């Protein structure tokens, strides 16, 4: 199940939000008992449930208005509105988009009619995912937990922002399968909000149908995965991959890939991970850090949280490289504090090639992928990174959705 055009259209999503709020505010007493039934709330809880739903939707609308005003002011896309397709980094919008997709799946021709109690119930139950709380974070017991070894010669595919289930995701998965890597690591984001249903239809099912059959799979946690509380990620993806936790190390004598969770607390780490990371950096192997969120970007606002958490490791030169996603481009940034920095977020979600965008933040770009996709001449090409470990060296090839190579490099 790919993403729907309606759910990716900003005007449609905002219209649906507006008419849904209107219907809830109207609170028609004639239909209230039926609404209580549809939403599975008692009449005593109706006002509270309705008010909470309205509050969440209006807060999201206000957030969007603030960002739209800012975009007008600076004359450039802002973080809420970075793509041609509407995929804002806001939990309520992501959950609303999940609800719209569920409605379209059961009733493809139907609009999101505010008097349709089935639609209201779907919205309500989706947004309630936030009230239900997050999935439990899995912590290590010992400092050598979550460590897996790989041979000195091994091939690892890294792909990010790939959980869209669209034609690009299928094309990228097929290209990864052709390279038959030992491991496949997804750097996070299953759209729209990482619900259990989306964890299957936009992620696990697509790997099963088109991905390599003999690889071991891994997945990092990310913002979209957490918008529904992380239940799809922790409850479905991790068990399917036999992955013990949302942070892990995969390494050999010379190198270790360390995947860290920056989704559970969005754009940050969690305290337990840091003690574990500290222990991993005592290994003689060189460390390549993998996260969903970015250390820096020329196009997107950069927080300083990750850098602050990692300050001791940066100061001690513990990190050789850092590869992230979140932003939907393929970019090689100049070394930052001695760390090789790469963004590989061009896994599947349509994006405008970065050479057409205004660079709004200080981050030196060495090279970036600017070609367009064969499936859409107005959008950038998609792909993944293939890392071939060979003793003290690692060869990196950035492969696109057609099987061609964007560029290669060697780290040693
Ligand atoms: Fe993201």
């Amino acid at each position: 199940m790919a993403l729907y055009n309606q759910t990716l259209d900003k005007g449609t999503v905002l219209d649906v939000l507006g008419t849904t709020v209107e219907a809830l505010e109207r609170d028609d007493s004639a239909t209230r008992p039926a609404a209580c039934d549809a939403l599975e709330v008692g009449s005593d809880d109706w006002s509270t449930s309705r008010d909470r739903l309205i509050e969440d939707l209006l807060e999201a609308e206000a957030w969007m208005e603030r960002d739209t005003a800012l975009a007008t002011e600076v004359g450039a896309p802002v973080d809420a509105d970075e793509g041609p397709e509407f995929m804002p980094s806001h939990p309520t919008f992501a959950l609303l988009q999940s609800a719209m997709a569920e409605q379209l799946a059961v009733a493809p021709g139907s609009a999101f009619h505010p008097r349709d109690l089935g639609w209201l119930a779907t919205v309500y139950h989706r947004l309630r995912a936030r009230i239900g709380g997050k999935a439990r974070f899995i912590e290590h017991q010992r400092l050598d937990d979550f460590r897996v070894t790989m041979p000195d010669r091994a091939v690892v595919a890294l792909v990010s922002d790939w959980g869209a289930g669209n034609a690009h995701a299928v094309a990228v998965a097929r290209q990864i399968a052709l390279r038959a890597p030992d491991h496949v690591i997804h750097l996070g984001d299953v759209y729209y909000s990482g619900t259990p249903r989306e964890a299957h239809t936009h992620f696990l099912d697509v790997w099963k149908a088109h991905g390599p059959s003999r690889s071991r799979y891994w997945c990092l946690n990310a913002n979209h995965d957490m918008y529904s509380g992380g239940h799809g990620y922790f409850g479905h993806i991790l068990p399917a991959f036999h992955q013990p936790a949302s942070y892990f190390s995969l390494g050999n004598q010379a190198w270790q890939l360390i995947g860290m969770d920056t989704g559970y607390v969005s754009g940050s780490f969690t305290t337990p991970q840091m003690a574990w990371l500290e222990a991993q950096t005592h290994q003689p192997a060189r460390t390549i850090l993998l996260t969903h969120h970015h250390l820096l970007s020329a196009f997107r606002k950069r927080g300083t949280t990750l850098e602050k958490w990692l300050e001791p490791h940066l100061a001690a030169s513990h990190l050789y490289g850092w590869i992230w996603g979140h932003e939907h481009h393929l970019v090689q940034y100049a070394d930052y504090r001695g760390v090789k920095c790469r963004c590989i977020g061009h896994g599947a979600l349509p994006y405008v090639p970065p050479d057409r965008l205004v660079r709004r933040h200080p981050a030196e770009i060495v090279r970036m992928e600017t070609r367009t996709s064969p499936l859409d001449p107005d959008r950038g090409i998609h792909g993944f990174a293939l890392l071939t470990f060979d003793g003290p060296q690692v060869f990196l090839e950035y492969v696109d959705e057609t099987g061609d190579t964007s560029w290669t490099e060697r780290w040693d």
Side-chain angles (χ1 to χ4, degrees), residues 68-78 358 360:
T68 304
L70 186 61
T72 307
E73 201 176 295
V74 302
V78 293
V358 179
R360 296 180 293 125

Side-chain angles (χ1 to χ4, degrees), residues 45-116:
D45 297 328
W46 166 248
S47 296
T48 311
S49 305
R50 187 199 69 137
D51 290 352
R52 174 69 196 259
L53 192 50
I54 292 173
E55 197 178 299
D56 281 350
L57 291 167
L58 289 180
E59 187 276 328
E61 190 177 46
W63 176 85
M64 182 56 59
E65 282 170 2
R66 280 197 303 276
D67 260 39
T68 304
L70 186 61
T72 307
E73 201 176 295
V74 302
V78 293
D79 293 339
D81 190 21
E82 62 167 342
E85 277 70 34
F86 188 57
M87 193 62 82
S89 296
H90 190 286
T92 300
F93 276 113
L95 292 164
L96 181 63
Q97 288 172 301
S98 290
M100 289 172 67
E102 285 177 31
Q103 177 79 358
L104 288 165
V106 295
S110 91
F112 308 97
H113 199 280
R115 289 186 185 277
D116 177 352

Side-chain angles (χ1 to χ4, degrees), residues 79 262 265-269 274 293-297 300-312 314 322 336-337 361-362:
D79 293 339
T262 62
V265 178
S266 190
S268 182
F269 296 113
M274 303 316 289
H293 288 87
H294 54 292
L295 168 66
L296 46 84
S297 166
R300 191 172 179 132
K301 191 171 69 184
R302 169 202 171 190
T304 55
T305 309
L306 295 184
E307 187 170 358
K308 280 182 185 160
W309 277 104
L310 293 175
E311 185 56 40
L314 291 164
W322 187 342
Y336 179 80
R337 300 184 66 180
H361 303 285

Side-chain angles (χ1 to χ4, degrees), residues 89 161 188-189 191 222-224 227 292-293 300 325-328:
S89 296
D161 301 76
D189 266 357
Y191 305 101
N223 53 317
H224 280 269
Y227 288 152
H292 177 71
H293 288 87
R300 191 172 179 132
H326 192 50
E327 187 171 73
H328 307 138

Side-chain angles (χ1 to χ4, degrees), residues 219-268:
C219 188
L220 292 183
N221 197 8
N223 53 317
H224 280 269
D225 303 83
M226 286 305 298
Y227 288 152
S228 60
H231 300 286
Y233 176 77
F234 284 98
H236 294 258
I237 292 175
L238 292 190
F241 287 176
H242 305 290
Q243 183 180 324
S246 57
Y247 55 107
F248 60 87
S249 163
L250 174 64
N252 58 28
Q253 297 274 342
W255 298 92
Q256 57 179 351
L257 291 164
I258 293 190
M260 295 285 281
D261 184 338
T262 62
Y264 199 81
V265 178
S266 190
S268 182

Side-chain angles (χ1 to χ4, degrees), residues 95-401:
L95 292 164
L96 181 63
Q97 288 172 301
S98 290
M100 289 172 67
E102 285 177 31
Q103 177 79 358
L104 288 165
V106 295
S110 91
F112 308 97
H113 199 280
R115 289 186 185 277
D116 177 352
L117 292 178
W119 161 239
L120 279 187
T122 302
V123 176
Y124 177 73
H125 288 302
R126 261 312 121 242
L127 265 65
R128 243 174 42 147
R130 294 180 67 199
I131 300 170
K134 294 180 182 181
R136 187 177 66 84
F137 186 80
I138 302 168
E139 293 183 25
H140 63 277
Q141 300 298 311
R142 295 159 42 113
L143 292 172
D144 59 357
D145 281 347
F146 313 153
R147 279 173 53 180
V148 169
T149 56
M150 63 180 181
D152 287 344
R153 290 176 64 94
V155 180
V156 180
L158 304 178
V159 62
S160 190
D161 301 76
W162 175 88
N166 59 9
H168 302 293
V170 169
V172 167
R174 287 178 174 164
Q175 291 303 329
I176 292 175
L178 288 173
R179 302 305 186 103
D182 302 294
H183 296 268
V184 176
I185 304 176
H186 182 237
L187 271 53
D189 266 357
V190 174
Y191 305 101
Y192 307 86
S193 61
T195 64
R197 175 198 292 244
E198 290 164 355
H200 287 276
T201 57
H202 290 170
F203 192 76
L204 295 170
D205 295 351
V206 188
W207 281 130
K208 196 171 180 187
H210 305 286
S213 56
R214 295 190 180 171
S215 306
R216 178 165 181 180
Y217 287 84
W218 304 81
C219 188
L220 292 183
N221 197 8
N223 53 317
H224 280 269
D225 303 83
M226 286 305 298
Y227 288 152
S228 60
H231 300 286
Y233 176 77
F234 284 98
H236 294 258
I237 292 175
L238 292 190
F241 287 176
H242 305 290
Q243 183 180 324
S246 57
Y247 55 107
F248 60 87
S249 163
L250 174 64
N252 58 28
Q253 297 274 342
W255 298 92
Q256 57 179 351
L257 291 164
I258 293 190
M260 295 285 281
D261 184 338
T262 62
Y264 199 81
V265 178
S266 190
S268 182
F269 296 113
T270 56
T271 305
Q273 291 184 83
M274 303 316 289
W276 178 89
L277 175 64
E278 165 68 25
Q280 311 317 308
T281 57
H282 295 156
Q283 303 292 320
R286 286 171 167 162
T287 296
I288 301 172
L289 186 67
L290 308 176
T291 60
H292 177 71
H293 288 87
H294 54 292
L295 168 66
L296 46 84
S297 166
F299 308 101
R300 191 172 179 132
K301 191 171 69 184
R302 169 202 171 190
T304 55
T305 309
L306 295 184
E307 187 170 358
K308 280 182 185 160
W309 277 104
L310 293 175
E311 185 56 40
H313 299 294
L314 291 164
S317 302
H318 284 162
L319 304 183
Y320 185 92
W322 187 342
I323 301 175
W324 61 75
H326 192 50
E327 187 171 73
H328 307 138
H329 302 141
L330 171 59
V331 180
Q332 175 178 338
Y333 286 102
D335 291 3
Y336 179 80
R337 300 184 66 180
V339 182
K340 296 183 184 301
C341 297
R342 310 288 184 265
C343 174
I344 59 160
H346 67 316
L349 212 64
Y351 67 95
V352 174
D355 57 329
R356 302 180 194 176
L357 299 177
V358 179
R359 297 190 195 186
R360 296 180 293 125
H361 303 285
E364 189 187 337
I365 291 174
V366 175
R367 53 185 160 184
M368 57 188 178
E369 178 57 85
T370 59
R371 292 176 300 147
T372 56
S373 170
L375 300 177
D376 187 342
D378 291 327
R379 303 288 185 262
I381 198 163
H382 300 276
F384 62 99
L386 192 73
L387 278 58
T388 302
F389 293 91
D390 187 7
Q393 296 181 330
V394 53
F395 298 90
L396 295 89
E397 179 184 3
Y398 300 91
V399 184
D400 71 31
E401 61 193 298

